[in-house]
Amino acid sequence: MNPTRRQAPLLAPSLLSADFGNLQAETEMLAASAADWLHFDVMDGRFVPNISFGIPVLEAVHRYARQPIDVHLMIEEPQHYLSAFRDAGAAIITVHYEACTHLHRVVQQIKQLGCRAGVALNPHSPVSLLEDIAADLDVVLIMSVNPGFGGQAFIPNTLRKVAQLKELLVDSGSSALIEVDGGVTLDNAPALVAAGADVLVAGSFVFKDGDPVGTLARMRAELAPEALETND
């Protein structure tokens, strides 16, 4: 076995791009797809300039989901809502570095609730900010767009940032997964995996053609280790 062999990334379609009027049907459809996680974006209109899902919607989605639900809290003071999101069905809870004054405490709260703990970084935030907490994390989410809206263009500097984060995690002995969210398509996904990404969040790309199951299957095939090695 080649120790440097790439691993297939986890695929996490973002429900922010799903049909809000048919979330049960969308969730049941994704249950039989190549999706590994379901990405659930929560926006409060304060930390980001938009409002999206809340706890009752997560409860509804959780009833029909077969994959773990990856809850991304783009909200102020997330520490007040962690147990409610856990109870509603979150398996992974990610908070923003920029929203947490006492980040270590919040990460420990998430872990004590039995969820995997993640921290997200906005495009302007360097990965060095996580140096002292990297070993405590299960996931680091790199925003490859500015948070708050779906359908934005991928920020090219993300590739360098993912590579820097991978180096930091290795140096700190952290086993955290690197997740990338925003503008992910098959045009940039292979480079993201090569840089060190473990989880790819894709919204518009997965749902835009009305065939998310087919798109996810294509992503799975084209991002398989043997496919990536062939294209090197």
Side-chain angles (χ1 to χ4, degrees):
M1 179 176 175
N2 182 355
T4 63
R5 180 178 174 83
R6 296 178 191 168
Q7 300 296 311
L10 300 178
L11 302 179
S14 173
L15 295 177
L16 191 64
S17 295
D19 181 351
F20 290 3
N22 293 285
L23 276 178
Q24 176 181 343
E26 299 276 75
T27 303
E28 290 176 332
M29 175 177 57
L30 290 170
S33 75
D36 298 290
W37 296 353
L38 300 183
H39 192 76
F40 190 91
D41 287 308
V42 180
M43 306 179 190
D44 63 358
R46 296 175 60 211
F47 181 70
V48 293
N50 213 340
I51 296 174
S52 65
F53 306 118
I55 291 165
V57 178
L58 177 59
E59 290 175 337
V61 167
H62 183 245
R63 285 199 294 270
Y64 305 103
R66 293 294 175 267
Q67 295 92 341
I69 302 178
D70 172 31
V71 174
H72 177 193
L73 297 181
M74 289 176 272
I75 66 175
E76 299 282 355
E77 301 181 334
Q79 65 273 16
H80 299 310
Y81 308 99
L82 300 175
S83 61
F85 278 105
R86 188 279 310 274
D87 293 344
I92 306 108
I93 299 178
T94 295
V95 298
H96 269 260
Y97 174 91
E98 302 85 0
C100 297
T101 303
H102 303 289
L103 183 61
H104 182 270
R105 181 184 300 163
V106 174
V107 167
Q108 298 310 312
Q109 283 181 273
I110 296 171
K111 287 178 169 287
Q112 288 165 8
L113 289 169
C115 297
R116 298 171 81 175
V119 170
L121 292 176
N122 280 340
H124 71 279
S125 297
V127 299
S128 59
L129 293 170
L130 300 180
E131 183 176 353
D132 291 326
I133 200 171
D136 296 307
L137 301 179
D138 299 303
V139 177
V140 177
L141 191 161
I142 297 296
M143 291 300 302
S144 44
V145 298
N146 287 291
F149 299 92
Q152 298 181 69
F154 178 83
I155 298 173
N157 184 57
T158 303
L159 292 169
R160 182 175 66 87
K161 196 169 181 178
V162 169
Q164 290 175 335
L165 175 59
K166 183 68 175 180
E167 184 176 352
L168 184 153
L169 294 177
V170 170
D171 289 347
S172 64
S174 173
S175 59
L177 299 176
I178 298 175
E179 184 172 9
V180 179
D181 182 5
V184 173
T185 71
L186 278 172
D187 290 333
N188 52 44
L192 286 168
V193 175
D198 303 295
V199 186
L200 300 178
V201 177
S204 299
F205 180 73
V206 168
F207 289 95
K208 67 179 180 180
D209 292 329
D211 182 20
V213 173
T215 301
L216 287 164
R218 183 157 61 95
M219 292 182 75
R220 172 68 71 229
E222 296 190 27
L223 296 174
E226 56 272 19
L228 293 172
E229 290 167 5
T230 299
N231 292 328
D232 283 345

